[in-house]
Amino acid sequence: MAALLKKPLKLALIQLATGPDKAANLARARTKVHEAARAGASLIVLPECFNSPYGTQHFPHYAETLLPSPPSPNQSPSYHALSAMAKDTSTYLVGGSIPEWVPERKTYHNTSLTFSPAGELLTTHRKVHLFDIDIPGKMRFQESEVLTPGNKVTVLDLPPYGKIGIAICYDVRFPELATIAARQGCFLLVYPGAFNLATGPLHWKLQARARAMDNQVYVGLCSPARDMEASYHAWGHSMVVDPNAEVMVEAEDNEDIVYAECSNEKVEEVRTGIPLYQQRRFDVYPDVARGNVRYAE
């Protein structure tokens, strides 16, 4: 089989501690990105809403305008901070997500920006599935009260390595996104996310392992650190799961950076032993990756 991962890649997930001061959050992110780069990471991931507190009440206050691209530093300080982090460290950087404001449509989005080692924007992913849940006695959260969903699958080619799929948090619960990305040749699925103390213990690790098992790819989930003084309590436990659905590394709930070495040999080993890609029955059921898939907004 053709190599999905052209050469070994060291992945870093930054479980960042964030607060109400955007400038401080950006400065802290920069410090941690540089730390991960010094440790040899080639691909670095920040968590969902890394530049702000997470919550519908916070999105409008912290939202930045990204279009037309590139925005000015006043329109999006986070864009320019992420670009500089990637360029200064010569790494690929998945910039977690930030609240985005689109003035022309008067819409807010939960948006991830990925930058090249030259500091160039490579792709944007707007959260496709909004976090609307109501678990009696435990958790009610309705992102759709403020946010508008994105409308595409995001697959990105990192030329020295291979393709990755990028989605955000609640997107992980929808296996179609992962399956499409995997069948497009991704070796890794990356999810900046912020599960909470109700959903995290139940489903965070389960979802990561399930997406890895279904698709025989690496999966990285990157959470903010837990802050019990904040209005939203993130689960933490950022982790990387290998193509055999084994957890390679997992953080606790505090600020941390976790690392994992990804190799094509592991992908091939798993897919040779359990050859799902040769055993699927598209004469019985459809190939979701060949349907009406949107790769652009």
Side-chain angles (χ1 to χ4, degrees):
M1 65 181 76
L4 293 184
L5 179 52
K6 299 171 189 174
K7 64 179 182 179
L9 175 142
K10 187 170 185 176
L11 171 65
L13 308 180
I14 298 175
Q15 187 161 288
L16 191 70
T18 60
D21 185 330
K22 181 188 288 188
N25 293 335
L26 294 177
R28 194 172 190 88
R30 177 179 177 81
T31 297
K32 291 299 181 180
V33 167
H34 278 254
E35 180 182 338
R38 287 194 300 271
S42 301
L43 174 59
I44 301 172
V45 183
L46 287 163
E48 183 177 23
C49 287
F50 82 95
N51 72 341
S52 67
Y54 180 73
T56 55
Q57 72 274 30
H58 300 300
F59 295 145
H61 178 67
Y62 288 87
E64 301 179 7
T65 300
L66 299 174
L67 296 174
S69 187
S72 71
N74 286 335
Q75 289 174 312
S76 183
S78 300
Y79 177 105
H80 290 273
L82 290 167
S83 174
M85 291 177 213
K87 184 176 182 179
D88 292 347
T89 59
S90 298
T91 59
Y92 288 97
L93 177 61
V94 179
S97 76
I98 66 171
E100 177 193 2
W101 167 243
V102 182
E104 295 77 9
R105 297 201 298 264
K106 294 182 169 53
T107 56
Y108 294 100
H109 302 270
N110 189 340
T111 302
S112 181
L113 304 171
T114 300
F115 290 86
S116 76
E120 299 169 340
L121 179 67
L122 296 176
T123 195
T124 297
H125 178 81
R126 290 171 173 162
K127 192 174 190 175
V128 172
H129 303 92
L130 298 184
F131 181 46
D132 286 4
I133 68 166
D134 191 352
I135 304 173
K138 291 187 177 180
M139 166 67 64
R140 183 184 185 278
F141 200 97
Q142 303 287 313
E143 275 191 325
S144 64
E145 292 176 349
V146 175
L147 298 181
T148 297
N151 296 301
K152 73 178 180 75
V153 177
T154 300
V155 172
L156 174 64
D157 187 23
L158 311 181
Y161 300 103
K163 294 180 182 179
I164 65 171
I166 301 170
I168 299 172
C169 197
Y170 202 59
D171 286 338
V172 76
R173 291 184 179 272
F174 298 86
E176 295 87 350
L177 280 184
T179 298
I180 291 166
R183 292 195 61 76
Q184 289 297 321
C186 292
F187 69 88
L188 168 68
L189 308 176
V190 174
Y191 297 89
F195 276 37
N196 53 67
L197 302 191
T199 60
L202 286 172
H203 299 145
W204 178 256
K205 185 182 295 186
L206 177 64
Q207 294 287 351
R209 296 190 67 204
R211 299 294 81 79
M213 181 193 70
D214 291 346
N215 300 292
Q216 298 176 315
V217 296
Y218 289 95
V219 172
L221 304 186
C222 187
S223 171
R226 189 180 306 169
D227 179 3
M228 294 306 294
E229 301 300 317
S231 59
Y232 184 91
H233 304 145
W235 175 236
H237 293 269
S238 297
M239 67 176 60
V240 181
V241 179
D242 76 9
N244 202 37
E246 295 181 287
V247 177
M248 300 174 69
V249 62
E250 178 179 356
E252 296 296 332
D253 58 25
N254 55 295
E255 185 172 73
D256 199 0
I257 306 176
V258 294
Y259 301 92
E261 298 279 356
C262 303
S263 72
N264 194 66
E265 287 74 18
K266 186 63 178 181
V267 178
E268 290 189 352
E269 172 193 317
V270 171
R271 294 190 179 190
T272 299
I274 306 176
L276 300 182
Y277 282 77
Q278 287 74 51
Q279 295 172 332
R280 288 192 169 92
R281 293 288 308 278
F282 295 133
D283 59 324
V284 176
Y285 46 80
D287 180 356
V288 66
R290 294 186 179 275
N292 185 23
V293 181
R294 294 180 62 170
Y295 295 101
E297 288 281 351

